[in-house]
Amino acid sequence: MSDSTKVLLNIEDKNVFIDEVVRGDQAIQVKAHLTYVPKACSECGVLNQHTIIKYGWRTVHTRLPKTGEWAVVMHLRKQYYECHACRGHFLAHTSIVKRNCSISYNTHQACLSKLNESVSMKHIAQEMNTSPNFVSRVLNRFSSDFKTDYHHLPAALHIDEIKSTKDAQGSMSCVLMDSGYQLFRDILDVRSLSALTRYFKRYDLEVRNQVRFLVTDMNYTYPQLSEEIFPNVIVIIDRFYIINAIQCELNKTRIEVMKKFATSSREYKALKNIGNYYSNWPQTWIIRTFTALPSLNTSPLKLTLSIIY
Ligand SMILES: [Zn+2]
């Protein structure tokens, strides 16, 4: 019963053992206990070399997210320990609930997810078996994570696209990332030049001047931002897209040449086989082959590649 009940209640802590589940008048009462052999004392930090002993139990009452229409309350008996090194005492730790808190982490997460919907805090509190004050505290605590910082932009700004969810305006959304530290910055549900210009104008020119490199795909929209928004920026096309474009062109040419030969000829078979062969080449091999082509001596793409590699 223990494992299946834990799955239903979304409890992943392997040190929690379900003892009994009772359906009361107002809520489902779950009785459980938490115990393990601690690796070290959480008071003094000394490693447990048979110096920490079990010293009874302490019960905490935790509210879990609702199951169906039923509120769920867990009565968790936590193991209490005594350390012989420092004579200190401490409780077993669990990933279900924060210390000195009666509302589970799962409820915090579910509440945060519900705040994305256009419903009142009172409604969320009823659904989560908590109070509106708790919902308000969760909102205040995490709101800074969702606010865009308009006082800073990274030196290397990466712009890319992802498929939008149904609630977005456009079919594709625009993602902004910090290339240097590989950190997510912001997501916009539109990607037109006018919308991007409006968005970036919320930053002061001084802040926009902090951007030295604009890393993009081969979309023609983003480099146009350098004219008005980022006057000091150097536009760099991500090498993934360059490799992709070269592979695509090589493949197209190979197929064109291949079709000139009879399907039974050696040339046809050789060109067919080489397609599978060079698709597995490392990126640097493809770049070297491409830049070595004599007919491309004056190509701007070749010059760009020569600078990068
Ligand atoms: Zn200790």
Side-chain angles (χ1 to χ4, degrees):
M1 182 188 78
S2 180
D3 284 346
S4 52
T5 309
K6 281 170 72 176
V7 171
L8 283 170
L9 297 174
N10 195 20
I11 294 171
E12 293 178 349
D13 192 333
K14 62 182 188 330
N15 299 318
V16 171
F17 303 92
I18 306 290
D19 299 322
E20 190 182 4
V21 180
V22 181
R23 197 163 76 177
D25 294 336
Q26 295 180 339
I28 294 173
Q29 312 286 335
V30 180
K31 293 180 181 174
H33 68 276
L34 167 72
T35 185
Y36 55 86
V37 178
K39 288 182 179 170
C41 170
S42 60
E43 296 292 310
C44 64
V46 168
L47 288 175
N48 181 15
Q49 293 173 327
H50 307 292
T51 51
I52 297 172
I53 59 162
K54 292 178 178 175
Y55 202 69
W57 302 88
R58 299 289 184 273
T59 304
V60 294
H61 308 284
T62 307
R63 274 182 280 177
L64 302 180
K66 274 187 172 180
T67 299
E69 287 303 308
W70 287 86
V72 182
V73 179
M74 174 176 270
H75 307 282
L76 183 64
R77 286 192 307 134
K78 286 185 172 183
Q79 186 79 63
Y80 198 54
Y81 299 99
E82 184 183 71
C83 171
H84 283 177
C86 67
R87 289 289 160 195
H89 298 86
F90 61 95
L91 271 175
H93 175 74
T94 175
S95 59
I96 295 176
V97 64
K98 197 177 166 185
R99 194 178 172 187
N100 298 329
C101 184
S102 64
I103 298 173
S104 68
Y105 283 119
N106 283 351
T107 307
H108 279 82
Q109 286 174 359
C111 186
L112 198 59
S113 172
K114 285 277 173 191
L115 280 167
N116 193 33
E117 298 173 11
S118 52
V119 290
S120 69
M121 287 193 185
K122 195 175 172 185
H123 178 83
I124 296 172
Q126 280 174 351
E127 277 207 358
M128 294 290 110
N129 187 29
T130 57
S131 67
N133 280 343
F134 168 77
V135 180
S136 175
R137 282 203 303 276
V138 171
L139 179 64
N140 289 336
R141 189 176 158 203
F142 291 99
S143 59
S144 60
D145 292 349
F146 299 99
K147 282 181 186 165
T148 304
D149 179 9
Y150 290 110
H151 303 291
H152 174 259
L153 277 171
L157 181 66
H158 189 124
I159 303 184
D160 209 340
E161 291 151 6
I162 55 166
K163 184 100 175 67
S164 299
T165 50
K166 284 179 185 172
D167 54 341
Q169 281 184 38
S171 60
M172 298 294 283
S173 293
C174 184
V175 184
L176 309 179
M177 287 167 289
D178 181 344
S179 273
Y181 294 95
Q182 300 188 341
L183 292 174
F184 172 81
R185 287 278 313 177
D186 206 353
I187 185 164
L188 314 174
D189 60 356
V190 284
R191 54 172 180 155
S192 65
L193 183 61
S194 57
L196 288 172
T197 305
R198 262 200 314 278
Y199 170 80
F200 282 113
K201 278 193 172 174
R202 293 179 194 165
Y203 294 86
D204 291 337
L205 180 62
E206 196 180 314
V207 177
R208 283 184 266 135
N209 281 342
Q210 291 171 2
V211 181
R212 305 304 310 278
F213 304 101
L214 186 66
V215 186
T216 77
D217 57 11
M218 288 186 168
N219 189 320
Y220 64 91
T221 307
Y222 307 135
Q224 292 178 61
L225 288 169
S226 63
E227 292 167 12
E228 188 182 346
I229 302 297
F230 301 114
N232 299 329
V233 87
I234 298 170
V235 178
I236 297 175
I237 297 171
D238 191 316
R239 68 176 173 184
F240 167 80
Y241 299 102
I242 297 175
I243 302 290
N244 215 20
I246 294 170
Q247 270 188 330
C248 193
E249 288 304 316
L250 281 173
N251 208 30
K252 216 185 283 178
T253 310
R254 179 184 64 84
I255 291 168
E256 272 176 25
V257 176
M258 191 177 76
K259 282 181 178 173
K260 291 177 183 170
F261 296 98
T263 51
S264 56
S265 67
R266 282 177 60 193
E267 289 85 353
Y268 182 91
K269 286 172 185 169
L271 283 165
K272 193 171 183 180
N273 290 335
I274 206 169
N276 300 329
Y277 177 63
Y278 77 66
S279 64
N280 295 323
W281 279 6
Q283 291 181 357
T284 44
W285 288 18
I286 293 172
I287 295 290
R288 278 180 208 151
T289 308
F290 188 76
T291 48
L293 293 175
S295 59
L296 292 166
N297 274 339
T298 54
S299 159
L301 181 57
K302 184 180 173 181
L303 291 173
T304 313
L305 293 171
S306 310
I307 293 164
I308 296 172
Y309 296 90

